[in-house]
PDB file of all heavy atoms in Angstrom:
ATOM      1  N   THR L  11       8.659  -4.414  22.883  1.00 83.00           N
ATOM      2  CA  THR L  11       9.836  -5.200  23.264  1.00 83.00           C
ATOM      3  C   THR L  11      10.021  -5.074  24.768  1.00 83.00           C
ATOM      4  O   THR L  11       9.646  -4.070  25.373  1.00 83.00           O
ATOM      5  CB  THR L  11      11.122  -4.728  22.540  1.00 83.00           C
ATOM      6  OG1 THR L  11      11.363  -3.356  22.866  1.00 83.00           O
ATOM      7  CG2 THR L  11      11.010  -4.883  21.043  1.00 83.00           C
ATOM      8  N   MET L  13      13.009  -5.568  27.691  1.00 76.00           N
ATOM      9  CA  MET L  13      14.447  -5.727  27.883  1.00 76.00           C
ATOM     10  C   MET L  13      14.757  -6.039  29.344  1.00 76.00           C
ATOM     11  O   MET L  13      14.072  -5.573  30.251  1.00 76.00           O
ATOM     12  CB  MET L  13      15.175  -4.437  27.483  1.00 76.00           C
ATOM     13  CG  MET L  13      14.946  -4.049  26.039  1.00 76.00           C
ATOM     14  SD  MET L  13      15.520  -5.272  24.865  1.00 76.00           S
ATOM     15  CE  MET L  13      17.264  -5.177  25.113  1.00 76.00           C
ATOM     16  N   SER L  36      11.807  -4.665  31.442  1.00 74.00           N
ATOM     17  CA  SER L  36      11.315  -3.312  31.305  1.00 74.00           C
ATOM     18  C   SER L  36      10.719  -3.141  29.910  1.00 74.00           C
ATOM     19  O   SER L  36      11.321  -3.557  28.923  1.00 74.00           O
ATOM     20  CB  SER L  36      12.484  -2.336  31.512  1.00 74.00           C
ATOM     21  OG  SER L  36      12.074  -1.023  31.319  1.00 74.00           O
ATOM     22  N   PHE L  37       9.540  -2.544  29.818  1.00 79.00           N
ATOM     23  CA  PHE L  37       8.894  -2.303  28.536  1.00 79.00           C
ATOM     24  C   PHE L  37       9.660  -1.213  27.790  1.00 79.00           C
ATOM     25  O   PHE L  37       9.856  -0.118  28.308  1.00 79.00           O
ATOM     26  CB  PHE L  37       7.441  -1.884  28.757  1.00 79.00           C
ATOM     27  CG  PHE L  37       6.724  -1.523  27.494  1.00 79.00           C
ATOM     28  CD1 PHE L  37       6.507  -2.468  26.508  1.00 79.00           C
ATOM     29  CD2 PHE L  37       6.257  -0.233  27.296  1.00 79.00           C
ATOM     30  CE1 PHE L  37       5.833  -2.146  25.334  1.00 79.00           C
ATOM     31  CE2 PHE L  37       5.584   0.098  26.135  1.00 79.00           C
ATOM     32  CZ  PHE L  37       5.376  -0.855  25.155  1.00 79.00           C
ATOM     33  N   THR L  38      10.131  -1.521  26.594  1.00 81.00           N
ATOM     34  CA  THR L  38      10.909  -0.577  25.793  1.00 81.00           C
ATOM     35  C   THR L  38      10.374  -0.602  24.360  1.00 81.00           C
ATOM     36  O   THR L  38      10.820  -1.387  23.536  1.00 81.00           O
ATOM     37  CB  THR L  38      12.403  -0.949  25.804  1.00 81.00           C
ATOM     38  OG1 THR L  38      12.543  -2.296  25.385  1.00 81.00           O
ATOM     39  CG2 THR L  38      13.010  -0.783  27.172  1.00 81.00           C
ATOM     40  N   PRO L  39       9.409   0.243  24.053  1.00 87.00           N
ATOM     41  CA  PRO L  39       8.783   0.200  22.734  1.00 87.00           C
ATOM     42  C   PRO L  39       9.696   0.715  21.624  1.00 87.00           C
ATOM     43  O   PRO L  39      10.599   1.514  21.866  1.00 87.00           O
ATOM     44  CB  PRO L  39       7.568   1.108  22.901  1.00 87.00           C
ATOM     45  CG  PRO L  39       7.957   2.048  23.980  1.00 87.00           C
ATOM     46  CD  PRO L  39       8.842   1.275  24.909  1.00 87.00           C
ATOM     47  N   ARG L  40       9.436   0.248  20.400  1.00 89.00           N
ATOM     48  CA  ARG L  40      10.095   0.768  19.199  1.00 89.00           C
ATOM     49  C   ARG L  40       8.999   1.407  18.354  1.00 89.00           C
ATOM     50  O   ARG L  40       8.021   0.765  17.992  1.00 89.00           O
ATOM     51  CB  ARG L  40      10.776  -0.350  18.406  1.00 89.00           C
ATOM     52  CG  ARG L  40      11.481   0.172  17.162  1.00 89.00           C
ATOM     53  CD  ARG L  40      12.008  -0.930  16.251  1.00 89.00           C
ATOM     54  NE  ARG L  40      12.487  -2.098  16.908  1.00 89.00           N
ATOM     55  CZ  ARG L  40      13.761  -2.325  17.265  1.00 89.00           C
ATOM     56  NH1 ARG L  40      14.672  -1.435  17.022  1.00 89.00           N
ATOM     57  NH2 ARG L  40      14.092  -3.459  17.848  1.00 89.00           N
ATOM     58  N   TYR L  41       9.175   2.690  18.048  1.00 94.00           N
ATOM     59  CA  TYR L  41       8.209   3.440  17.257  1.00 94.00           C
ATOM     60  C   TYR L  41       8.731   3.561  15.829  1.00 94.00           C
ATOM     61  O   TYR L  41       9.910   3.827  15.608  1.00 94.00           O
ATOM     62  CB  TYR L  41       8.009   4.840  17.834  1.00 94.00           C
ATOM     63  CG  TYR L  41       7.549   4.825  19.269  1.00 94.00           C
ATOM     64  CD1 TYR L  41       8.459   5.007  20.308  1.00 94.00           C
ATOM     65  CD2 TYR L  41       6.215   4.624  19.588  1.00 94.00           C
ATOM     66  CE1 TYR L  41       8.044   4.988  21.623  1.00 94.00           C
ATOM     67  CE2 TYR L  41       5.791   4.602  20.907  1.00 94.00           C
ATOM     68  CZ  TYR L  41       6.722   4.789  21.917  1.00 94.00           C
ATOM     69  OH  TYR L  41       6.312   4.762  23.222  1.00 94.00           O
ATOM     70  N   PHE L  57      12.540   4.821  16.392  1.00 93.00           N
ATOM     71  CA  PHE L  57      13.127   5.166  17.686  1.00 93.00           C
ATOM     72  C   PHE L  57      12.864   4.014  18.633  1.00 93.00           C
ATOM     73  O   PHE L  57      11.732   3.540  18.741  1.00 93.00           O
ATOM     74  CB  PHE L  57      12.525   6.451  18.260  1.00 93.00           C
ATOM     75  CG  PHE L  57      13.030   6.733  19.653  1.00 93.00           C
ATOM     76  CD1 PHE L  57      14.294   7.259  19.844  1.00 93.00           C
ATOM     77  CD2 PHE L  57      12.259   6.435  20.751  1.00 93.00           C
ATOM     78  CE1 PHE L  57      14.781   7.498  21.119  1.00 93.00           C
ATOM     79  CE2 PHE L  57      12.728   6.666  22.036  1.00 93.00           C
ATOM     80  CZ  PHE L  57      13.996   7.194  22.213  1.00 93.00           C
ATOM     81  N   TRP L  58      13.908   3.541  19.300  1.00 89.00           N
ATOM     82  CA  TRP L  58      13.776   2.477  20.294  1.00 89.00           C
ATOM     83  C   TRP L  58      14.429   2.958  21.574  1.00 89.00           C
ATOM     84  O   TRP L  58      15.471   3.579  21.573  1.00 89.00           O
ATOM     85  CB  TRP L  58      14.488   1.205  19.840  1.00 89.00           C
ATOM     86  CG  TRP L  58      14.534   0.169  20.913  1.00 89.00           C
ATOM     87  CD1 TRP L  58      13.577  -0.741  21.208  1.00 89.00           C
ATOM     88  CD2 TRP L  58      15.587  -0.039  21.854  1.00 89.00           C
ATOM     89  NE1 TRP L  58      13.960  -1.508  22.271  1.00 89.00           N
ATOM     90  CE2 TRP L  58      15.210  -1.087  22.695  1.00 89.00           C
ATOM     91  CE3 TRP L  58      16.815   0.568  22.083  1.00 89.00           C
ATOM     92  CZ2 TRP L  58      15.996  -1.556  23.734  1.00 89.00           C
ATOM     93  CZ3 TRP L  58      17.613   0.105  23.124  1.00 89.00           C
ATOM     94  CH2 TRP L  58      17.196  -0.960  23.931  1.00 89.00           C
ATOM     95  N   GLY L  59      13.846   2.625  22.678  1.00 81.00           N
ATOM     96  CA  GLY L  59      14.515   2.853  23.937  1.00 81.00           C
ATOM     97  C   GLY L  59      13.510   3.350  24.910  1.00 81.00           C
ATOM     98  O   GLY L  59      12.352   3.472  24.635  1.00 81.00           O
ATOM     99  N   ASP L  60      14.097   3.389  25.683  1.00 64.00           N
ATOM    100  CA  ASP L  60      15.005   3.785  26.658  1.00 64.00           C
ATOM    101  C   ASP L  60      14.530   3.113  27.897  1.00 64.00           C
ATOM    102  O   ASP L  60      13.437   3.366  28.297  1.00 64.00           O
ATOM    103  CB  ASP L  60      14.910   5.258  26.591  1.00 64.00           C
ATOM    104  CG  ASP L  60      15.408   6.139  27.632  1.00 64.00           C
ATOM    105  OD1 ASP L  60      16.387   5.823  28.292  1.00 64.00           O
ATOM    106  OD2 ASP L  60      14.805   7.174  27.747  1.00 64.00           O
ATOM    107  N   PHE L  61      15.354   2.205  28.378  1.00 51.00           N
ATOM    108  CA  PHE L  61      14.981   1.725  29.674  1.00 51.00           C
ATOM    109  C   PHE L  61      15.573   2.693  30.662  1.00 51.00           C
ATOM    110  O   PHE L  61      16.343   2.379  31.504  1.00 51.00           O
ATOM    111  CB  PHE L  61      15.283   0.279  29.977  1.00 51.00           C
ATOM    112  CG  PHE L  61      16.514  -0.412  29.439  1.00 51.00           C
ATOM    113  CD1 PHE L  61      16.897  -1.583  30.038  1.00 51.00           C
ATOM    114  CD2 PHE L  61      17.255   0.035  28.387  1.00 51.00           C
ATOM    115  CE1 PHE L  61      17.986  -2.283  29.587  1.00 51.00           C
ATOM    116  CE2 PHE L  61      18.342  -0.658  27.931  1.00 51.00           C
ATOM    117  CZ  PHE L  61      18.707  -1.833  28.544  1.00 51.00           C
ATOM    118  N   ASN L  62      15.114   3.925  30.482  1.00 48.00           N
ATOM    119  CA  ASN L  62      15.607   5.075  31.218  1.00 48.00           C
ATOM    120  C   ASN L  62      15.375   4.905  32.715  1.00 48.00           C
ATOM    121  O   ASN L  62      14.287   4.601  33.149  1.00 48.00           O
ATOM    122  CB  ASN L  62      14.880   6.314  30.722  1.00 48.00           C
ATOM    123  CG  ASN L  62      15.461   7.589  31.263  1.00 48.00           C
ATOM    124  OD1 ASN L  62      16.421   7.567  32.026  1.00 48.00           O
ATOM    125  ND2 ASN L  62      14.880   8.695  30.872  1.00 48.00           N
ATOM    126  N   ASP L  63      16.438   5.120  33.449  1.00 47.00           N
ATOM    127  CA  ASP L  63      16.395   5.048  34.908  1.00 47.00           C
ATOM    128  C   ASP L  63      15.891   3.699  35.393  1.00 47.00           C
ATOM    129  O   ASP L  63      15.091   3.608  36.304  1.00 47.00           O
ATOM    130  CB  ASP L  63      15.540   6.169  35.493  1.00 47.00           C
ATOM    131  CG  ASP L  63      15.861   6.395  36.962  1.00 47.00           C
ATOM    132  OD1 ASP L  63      17.003   6.097  37.366  1.00 47.00           O
ATOM    133  OD2 ASP L  63      14.977   6.848  37.691  1.00 47.00           O
ATOM    134  N   THR L  64      16.342   2.653  34.736  1.00 47.00           N
ATOM    135  CA  THR L  64      16.057   1.320  35.235  1.00 47.00           C
ATOM    136  C   THR L  64      16.919   1.132  36.481  1.00 47.00           C
ATOM    137  O   THR L  64      18.108   0.924  36.382  1.00 47.00           O
ATOM    138  CB  THR L  64      16.393   0.249  34.183  1.00 47.00           C
ATOM    139  OG1 THR L  64      15.561   0.464  33.062  1.00 47.00           O
ATOM    140  CG2 THR L  64      16.160  -1.146  34.723  1.00 47.00           C
ATOM    141  N   TYR L  78      21.990   2.130  37.431  1.00 67.00           N
ATOM    142  CA  TYR L  78      21.000   2.444  36.404  1.00 67.00           C
ATOM    143  C   TYR L  78      21.589   2.226  35.019  1.00 67.00           C
ATOM    144  O   TYR L  78      22.805   2.186  34.836  1.00 67.00           O
ATOM    145  CB  TYR L  78      20.486   3.884  36.538  1.00 67.00           C
ATOM    146  CG  TYR L  78      21.520   4.927  36.206  1.00 67.00           C
ATOM    147  CD1 TYR L  78      21.636   5.425  34.910  1.00 67.00           C
ATOM    148  CD2 TYR L  78      22.378   5.414  37.176  1.00 67.00           C
ATOM    149  CE1 TYR L  78      22.578   6.373  34.598  1.00 67.00           C
ATOM    150  CE2 TYR L  78      23.329   6.365  36.865  1.00 67.00           C
ATOM    151  CZ  TYR L  78      23.426   6.844  35.578  1.00 67.00           C
ATOM    152  OH  TYR L  78      24.368   7.783  35.267  1.00 67.00           O
ATOM    153  N   ALA L  79      20.716   2.077  34.053  1.00 71.00           N
ATOM    154  CA  ALA L  79      21.125   1.935  32.660  1.00 71.00           C
ATOM    155  C   ALA L  79      20.142   2.690  31.785  1.00 71.00           C
ATOM    156  O   ALA L  79      18.946   2.706  32.064  1.00 71.00           O
ATOM    157  CB  ALA L  79      21.152   0.467  32.262  1.00 71.00           C
ATOM    158  N   GLU L  80      20.668   3.329  30.753  1.00 76.00           N
ATOM    159  CA  GLU L  80      19.853   4.034  29.778  1.00 76.00           C
ATOM    160  C   GLU L  80      20.341   3.655  28.396  1.00 76.00           C
ATOM    161  O   GLU L  80      21.548   3.621  28.145  1.00 76.00           O
ATOM    162  CB  GLU L  80      19.971   5.547  29.948  1.00 76.00           C
ATOM    163  CG  GLU L  80      19.503   6.062  31.276  1.00 76.00           C
ATOM    164  CD  GLU L  80      19.758   7.549  31.446  1.00 76.00           C
ATOM    165  OE1 GLU L  80      20.344   8.189  30.554  1.00 76.00           O
ATOM    166  OE2 GLU L  80      19.367   8.063  32.494  1.00 76.00           O
ATOM    167  N   ALA L  81      19.419   3.374  27.500  1.00 80.00           N
ATOM    168  CA  ALA L  81      19.807   3.007  26.136  1.00 80.00           C
ATOM    169  C   ALA L  81      18.719   3.456  25.170  1.00 80.00           C
ATOM    170  O   ALA L  81      17.542   3.447  25.508  1.00 80.00           O
ATOM    171  CB  ALA L  81      19.993   1.497  26.019  1.00 80.00           C
ATOM    172  N   SER L  82      19.144   3.860  23.967  1.00 84.00           N
ATOM    173  CA  SER L  82      18.178   4.203  22.926  1.00 84.00           C
ATOM    174  C   SER L  82      18.865   4.186  21.566  1.00 84.00           C
ATOM    175  O   SER L  82      20.088   4.280  21.478  1.00 84.00           O
ATOM    176  CB  SER L  82      17.543   5.574  23.188  1.00 84.00           C
ATOM    177  OG  SER L  82      18.520   6.576  23.171  1.00 84.00           O
ATOM    178  N   THR L  83      18.054   4.032  20.519  1.00 88.00           N
ATOM    179  CA  THR L  83      18.562   4.114  19.150  1.00 88.00           C
ATOM    180  C   THR L  83      17.586   4.936  18.321  1.00 88.00           C
ATOM    181  O   THR L  83      16.384   4.939  18.564  1.00 88.00           O
ATOM    182  CB  THR L  83      18.719   2.731  18.473  1.00 88.00           C
ATOM    183  OG1 THR L  83      17.446   2.114  18.374  1.00 88.00           O
ATOM    184  CG2 THR L  83      19.672   1.841  19.236  1.00 88.00           C
ATOM    185  N   LEU L  84      18.119   5.631  17.334  1.00 92.00           N
ATOM    186  CA  LEU L  84      17.338   6.368  16.358  1.00 92.00           C
ATOM    187  C   LEU L  84      17.881   5.985  14.992  1.00 92.00           C
ATOM    188  O   LEU L  84      19.091   6.071  14.761  1.00 92.00           O
ATOM    189  CB  LEU L  84      17.481   7.877  16.582  1.00 92.00           C
ATOM    190  CG  LEU L  84      16.772   8.774  15.568  1.00 92.00           C
ATOM    191  CD1 LEU L  84      15.265   8.549  15.623  1.00 92.00           C
ATOM    192  CD2 LEU L  84      17.123  10.225  15.826  1.00 92.00           C
ATOM    193  N   ASP L 109      22.909   5.218  21.802  1.00 85.00           N
ATOM    194  CA  ASP L 109      23.634   5.560  23.021  1.00 85.00           C
ATOM    195  C   ASP L 109      23.329   4.539  24.101  1.00 85.00           C
ATOM    196  O   ASP L 109      22.277   3.913  24.120  1.00 85.00           O
ATOM    197  CB  ASP L 109      23.344   6.981  23.496  1.00 85.00           C
ATOM    198  CG  ASP L 109      21.912   7.203  23.976  1.00 85.00           C
ATOM    199  OD1 ASP L 109      21.172   6.218  24.125  1.00 85.00           O
ATOM    200  OD2 ASP L 109      21.543   8.351  24.202  1.00 85.00           O
ATOM    201  N   PHE L 110      24.307   4.358  24.969  1.00 79.00           N
ATOM    202  CA  PHE L 110      24.155   3.456  26.103  1.00 79.00           C
ATOM    203  C   PHE L 110      24.974   4.015  27.248  1.00 79.00           C
ATOM    204  O   PHE L 110      26.155   4.331  27.082  1.00 79.00           O
ATOM    205  CB  PHE L 110      24.646   2.043  25.788  1.00 79.00           C
ATOM    206  CG  PHE L 110      24.570   1.134  26.987  1.00 79.00           C
ATOM    207  CD1 PHE L 110      23.366   0.568  27.350  1.00 79.00           C
ATOM    208  CD2 PHE L 110      25.678   0.897  27.775  1.00 79.00           C
ATOM    209  CE1 PHE L 110      23.273  -0.245  28.479  1.00 79.00           C
ATOM    210  CE2 PHE L 110      25.602   0.091  28.897  1.00 79.00           C
ATOM    211  CZ  PHE L 110      24.390  -0.479  29.250  1.00 79.00           C
ATOM    212  N   TYR L 111      24.350   4.161  28.390  1.00 75.00           N
ATOM    213  CA  TYR L 111      25.038   4.627  29.588  1.00 75.00           C
ATOM    214  C   TYR L 111      24.625   3.766  30.759  1.00 75.00           C
ATOM    215  O   TYR L 111      23.469   3.387  30.883  1.00 75.00           O
ATOM    216  CB  TYR L 111      24.723   6.103  29.874  1.00 75.00           C
ATOM    217  CG  TYR L 111      25.356   6.995  28.849  1.00 75.00           C
ATOM    218  CD1 TYR L 111      24.667   7.371  27.711  1.00 75.00           C
ATOM    219  CD2 TYR L 111      26.667   7.417  28.994  1.00 75.00           C
ATOM    220  CE1 TYR L 111      25.266   8.152  26.743  1.00 75.00           C
ATOM    221  CE2 TYR L 111      27.273   8.197  28.040  1.00 75.00           C
ATOM    222  CZ  TYR L 111      26.567   8.564  26.913  1.00 75.00           C
ATOM    223  OH  TYR L 111      27.173   9.314  25.960  1.00 75.00           O
TER     224      TYR L 111
END
Side-chain angles (χ1 to χ4, degrees):
T11 59
M13 300 299 293
S36 177
F37 176 64
T38 54
R40 181 188 325 267
Y41 302 99
F57 174 77
W58 172 85
D60 164 32
F61 35 163
N62 189 0
D63 199 27
T64 297
Y78 69 92
E80 298 175 358
S82 62
T83 63
L84 177 63
D109 67 10
F110 176 80
Y111 290 92

